[in-house]
Amino acid sequence: MRVHNNQAERVWLAPMSGSTDAAFRRQAVRFGCPAVVSEMVAGETLVAARPDMVRRTCRHEGRGRWIVQLAARRPEDMRKGAELLTEAGVDQIDINMGCPSRQVTGGSSGSALMREPALAKAIIDAAIEGGQGTPVSLKMRLGWDREQLNAPDLARYAEQAGIVMVTVHGRTRCQFYKGHADWQRIADTVSAISLPVIANGDICSTPSARAALTQSAAYGVMIGRAAMGRPWLPGQIAAELSGQAYEVPSLSEQLDSLIEQIEDSQSLYGKTLGLRIVRKHISAAIDKLDVPLSEAHRRRARSMACQIEEGATLISTLSDIFLEQRGVAA
Ligand SMILES: Cc1cc2nc3c(=O)[nH]c(=O)nc-3n(C[C@H](O)[C@H](O)[C@H](O)COP(=O)(O)O)c2cc1C
């Protein structure tokens, strides 16, 4: 067992573009998630200071460090972006080398960088230079494809360059989200460096977190899609991994949390846009609501809640769905 040279948190909420805004991160930390990362911001957008980007990365309310993920295809944008985030007072900068989106990879940032190791290294150096002492972490995939599983090489470079933590999603870029994350492969990165490595991909419960930790020998886990509609999940996994019992929030606590998230979303983006942006969370929450609702009723509830354009009506409809399972008859 390796000795890690810093004390990173062991359970993380993954950065998810369009989902892990400050409103959602606030709910994750409210229920005990130890560490949350903002959705990615493009270095050049930050340099041009688009206000919606700055809003999305803004610090969440509540506990937890302020960690912003940065993507860039040019080292100078990464450097400048890291400088601006440091001036803004972020606690950690996370480099995005994991996102497979063509929008990102088309410009050779995100996971496309894993196919261009020299550029990837220049991006790592630029983030560290721009961060001027702010801790910088790196999130990547296993590699570009099965022939190029270069996460361990990049991790070695990252460690000597001064990166403090590495997250590995156990898929290649070419896999997108297909198949199952290969937690065993993450072990190659764990054994290549002495930094904390966080395992990511398909972790949806405490047993799957335990399996990922056993197979990868990683220091911690990062949870993405499974937390949609269940912001308490990372907190629950963190508690249970450390041997504590965790009481899942009651339906009324879940409703309070969703209402707070809706209100936060409206204050972040404005009333109309805020409701539209939070809809994917409402839909996921109804999907995962642990009540005996038929699939048809659930679908109807989802579509009803997602068409409402007015905050108070939405909240009363959600109260019916969560507390009475009313108003959803076919
Ligand atoms: C909608 C969506 C948006 C994502 N956005 C980002 C992102 O901005 N930065 C990033 O590094 N990864 C991003 N990812 C990848 C996740 O962080 C995570 O690595 C991946 O979903 C696998 O973890 P999971 O199986 O727990 O969801 C995104 C994933 C999804 C589904």
PDB file of all heavy atoms in Angstrom, residues 212-228:
ATOM      1  N   ALA A 212     -14.822  -0.815  -6.796  1.00  0.00           N
ATOM      2  CA  ALA A 212     -13.903   0.030  -7.579  1.00  0.00           C
ATOM      3  C   ALA A 212     -12.610   0.262  -6.791  1.00  0.00           C
ATOM      4  O   ALA A 212     -11.513   0.212  -7.353  1.00  0.00           O
ATOM      5  CB  ALA A 212     -14.567   1.358  -7.925  1.00  0.00           C
ATOM      6  N   LEU A 213     -12.741   0.490  -5.485  1.00  0.00           N
ATOM      7  CA  LEU A 213     -11.548   0.725  -4.657  1.00  0.00           C
ATOM      8  C   LEU A 213     -10.686  -0.535  -4.574  1.00  0.00           C
ATOM      9  O   LEU A 213      -9.457  -0.465  -4.665  1.00  0.00           O
ATOM     10  CB  LEU A 213     -11.957   1.182  -3.251  1.00  0.00           C
ATOM     11  CG  LEU A 213     -12.504   2.616  -3.153  1.00  0.00           C
ATOM     12  CD1 LEU A 213     -13.090   2.882  -1.764  1.00  0.00           C
ATOM     13  CD2 LEU A 213     -11.416   3.643  -3.477  1.00  0.00           C
ATOM     14  N   THR A 214     -11.336  -1.683  -4.426  1.00  0.00           N
ATOM     15  CA  THR A 214     -10.572  -2.933  -4.329  1.00  0.00           C
ATOM     16  C   THR A 214      -9.858  -3.223  -5.639  1.00  0.00           C
ATOM     17  O   THR A 214      -8.668  -3.543  -5.659  1.00  0.00           O
ATOM     18  CB  THR A 214     -11.526  -4.108  -4.000  1.00  0.00           C
ATOM     19  OG1 THR A 214     -12.273  -3.739  -2.853  1.00  0.00           O
ATOM     20  CG2 THR A 214     -10.782  -5.408  -3.745  1.00  0.00           C
ATOM     21  N   GLN A 215     -10.589  -3.080  -6.753  1.00  0.00           N
ATOM     22  CA  GLN A 215      -9.991  -3.457  -8.050  1.00  0.00           C
ATOM     23  C   GLN A 215      -8.913  -2.486  -8.512  1.00  0.00           C
ATOM     24  O   GLN A 215      -7.978  -2.872  -9.194  1.00  0.00           O
ATOM     25  CB  GLN A 215     -11.079  -3.569  -9.106  1.00  0.00           C
ATOM     26  CG  GLN A 215     -11.971  -4.779  -8.861  1.00  0.00           C
ATOM     27  CD  GLN A 215     -13.115  -4.850  -9.871  1.00  0.00           C
ATOM     28  OE1 GLN A 215     -12.972  -4.458 -11.014  1.00  0.00           O
ATOM     29  NE2 GLN A 215     -14.251  -5.349  -9.430  1.00  0.00           N
ATOM     30  N   SER A 216      -9.059  -1.206  -8.148  1.00  0.00           N
ATOM     31  CA  SER A 216      -8.109  -0.207  -8.655  1.00  0.00           C
ATOM     32  C   SER A 216      -7.013   0.115  -7.638  1.00  0.00           C
ATOM     33  O   SER A 216      -5.991   0.672  -8.007  1.00  0.00           O
ATOM     34  CB  SER A 216      -8.854   1.092  -8.977  1.00  0.00           C
ATOM     35  OG  SER A 216      -9.412   1.625  -7.788  1.00  0.00           O
ATOM     36  N   ALA A 217      -7.250  -0.196  -6.369  1.00  0.00           N
ATOM     37  CA  ALA A 217      -6.378   0.234  -5.268  1.00  0.00           C
ATOM     38  C   ALA A 217      -6.288   1.759  -5.201  1.00  0.00           C
ATOM     39  O   ALA A 217      -5.316   2.321  -4.684  1.00  0.00           O
ATOM     40  CB  ALA A 217      -4.986  -0.377  -5.395  1.00  0.00           C
ATOM     41  N   ALA A 218      -7.314   2.432  -5.729  1.00  0.00           N
ATOM     42  CA  ALA A 218      -7.308   3.904  -5.721  1.00  0.00           C
ATOM     43  C   ALA A 218      -7.527   4.432  -4.306  1.00  0.00           C
ATOM     44  O   ALA A 218      -7.944   3.706  -3.400  1.00  0.00           O
ATOM     45  CB  ALA A 218      -8.395   4.428  -6.651  1.00  0.00           C
ATOM     46  N   TYR A 219      -7.247   5.720  -4.163  1.00  0.00           N
ATOM     47  CA  TYR A 219      -7.370   6.389  -2.866  1.00  0.00           C
ATOM     48  C   TYR A 219      -8.826   6.752  -2.578  1.00  0.00           C
ATOM     49  O   TYR A 219      -9.260   6.792  -1.432  1.00  0.00           O
ATOM     50  CB  TYR A 219      -6.512   7.647  -2.934  1.00  0.00           C
ATOM     51  CG  TYR A 219      -6.540   8.524  -1.724  1.00  0.00           C
ATOM     52  CD1 TYR A 219      -5.776   8.232  -0.604  1.00  0.00           C
ATOM     53  CD2 TYR A 219      -7.312   9.688  -1.722  1.00  0.00           C
ATOM     54  CE1 TYR A 219      -5.786   9.066   0.503  1.00  0.00           C
ATOM     55  CE2 TYR A 219      -7.321  10.531  -0.618  1.00  0.00           C
ATOM     56  CZ  TYR A 219      -6.559  10.209   0.485  1.00  0.00           C
ATOM     57  OH  TYR A 219      -6.575  11.044   1.577  1.00  0.00           O
ATOM     58  N   GLY A 220      -9.581   7.047  -3.653  1.00  0.00           N
ATOM     59  CA  GLY A 220     -10.957   7.474  -3.460  1.00  0.00           C
ATOM     60  C   GLY A 220     -11.785   7.252  -4.717  1.00  0.00           C
ATOM     61  O   GLY A 220     -11.296   6.681  -5.698  1.00  0.00           O
ATOM     62  N   VAL A 221     -13.036   7.684  -4.665  1.00  0.00           N
ATOM     63  CA  VAL A 221     -13.947   7.491  -5.799  1.00  0.00           C
ATOM     64  C   VAL A 221     -14.630   8.801  -6.165  1.00  0.00           C
ATOM     65  O   VAL A 221     -14.791   9.695  -5.325  1.00  0.00           O
ATOM     66  CB  VAL A 221     -15.047   6.437  -5.479  1.00  0.00           C
ATOM     67  CG1 VAL A 221     -14.482   5.039  -5.418  1.00  0.00           C
ATOM     68  CG2 VAL A 221     -15.809   6.798  -4.199  1.00  0.00           C
ATOM     69  N   MET A 222     -15.021   8.896  -7.438  1.00  0.00           N
ATOM     70  CA  MET A 222     -15.752  10.066  -7.921  1.00  0.00           C
ATOM     71  C   MET A 222     -17.049   9.578  -8.567  1.00  0.00           C
ATOM     72  O   MET A 222     -17.025   8.623  -9.343  1.00  0.00           O
ATOM     73  CB  MET A 222     -14.895  10.827  -8.925  1.00  0.00           C
ATOM     74  CG  MET A 222     -15.517  12.089  -9.425  1.00  0.00           C
ATOM     75  SD  MET A 222     -14.399  12.964 -10.561  1.00  0.00           S
ATOM     76  CE  MET A 222     -13.476  14.016  -9.451  1.00  0.00           C
ATOM     77  N   ILE A 223     -18.149  10.241  -8.225  1.00  0.00           N
ATOM     78  CA  ILE A 223     -19.469   9.772  -8.677  1.00  0.00           C
ATOM     79  C   ILE A 223     -20.127  10.836  -9.542  1.00  0.00           C
ATOM     80  O   ILE A 223     -20.247  11.992  -9.116  1.00  0.00           O
ATOM     81  CB  ILE A 223     -20.355   9.458  -7.445  1.00  0.00           C
ATOM     82  CG1 ILE A 223     -19.728   8.291  -6.685  1.00  0.00           C
ATOM     83  CG2 ILE A 223     -21.784   9.101  -7.837  1.00  0.00           C
ATOM     84  CD1 ILE A 223     -19.500   8.576  -5.264  1.00  0.00           C
ATOM     85  N   GLY A 224     -20.557  10.449 -10.725  1.00  0.00           N
ATOM     86  CA  GLY A 224     -21.184  11.405 -11.635  1.00  0.00           C
ATOM     87  C   GLY A 224     -22.654  11.128 -11.819  1.00  0.00           C
ATOM     88  O   GLY A 224     -23.498  11.507 -10.990  1.00  0.00           O
ATOM     89  N   ARG A 225     -22.991  10.404 -12.899  1.00  0.00           N
ATOM     90  CA  ARG A 225     -24.394  10.270 -13.310  1.00  0.00           C
ATOM     91  C   ARG A 225     -25.300   9.712 -12.221  1.00  0.00           C
ATOM     92  O   ARG A 225     -26.463  10.108 -12.121  1.00  0.00           O
ATOM     93  CB  ARG A 225     -24.460   9.401 -14.574  1.00  0.00           C
ATOM     94  CG  ARG A 225     -23.876  10.086 -15.781  1.00  0.00           C
ATOM     95  CD  ARG A 225     -23.616   9.136 -16.907  1.00  0.00           C
ATOM     96  NE  ARG A 225     -22.580   8.152 -16.562  1.00  0.00           N
ATOM     97  CZ  ARG A 225     -22.245   7.133 -17.311  1.00  0.00           C
ATOM     98  NH1 ARG A 225     -22.864   6.934 -18.448  1.00  0.00           N
ATOM     99  NH2 ARG A 225     -21.286   6.297 -16.933  1.00  0.00           N
ATOM    100  N   ALA A 226     -24.782   8.806 -11.399  1.00  0.00           N
ATOM    101  CA  ALA A 226     -25.649   8.191 -10.391  1.00  0.00           C
ATOM    102  C   ALA A 226     -26.132   9.206  -9.358  1.00  0.00           C
ATOM    103  O   ALA A 226     -27.120   8.965  -8.656  1.00  0.00           O
ATOM    104  CB  ALA A 226     -24.908   7.045  -9.701  1.00  0.00           C
ATOM    105  N   ALA A 227     -25.461  10.353  -9.272  1.00  0.00           N
ATOM    106  CA  ALA A 227     -25.877  11.357  -8.282  1.00  0.00           C
ATOM    107  C   ALA A 227     -26.988  12.268  -8.816  1.00  0.00           C
ATOM    108  O   ALA A 227     -27.601  13.014  -8.051  1.00  0.00           O
ATOM    109  CB  ALA A 227     -24.673  12.207  -7.856  1.00  0.00           C
ATOM    110  N   MET A 228     -27.256  12.192 -10.121  1.00  0.00           N
ATOM    111  CA  MET A 228     -28.333  13.019 -10.675  1.00  0.00           C
ATOM    112  C   MET A 228     -29.657  12.579 -10.045  1.00  0.00           C
ATOM    113  O   MET A 228     -29.989  11.397 -10.052  1.00  0.00           O
ATOM    114  CB  MET A 228     -28.409  12.847 -12.200  1.00  0.00           C
ATOM    115  CG  MET A 228     -27.260  13.475 -12.950  1.00  0.00           C
ATOM    116  SD  MET A 228     -27.253  15.283 -12.869  1.00  0.00           S
ATOM    117  CE  MET A 228     -28.698  15.701 -13.836  1.00  0.00           C
TER     118      MET A 228
END
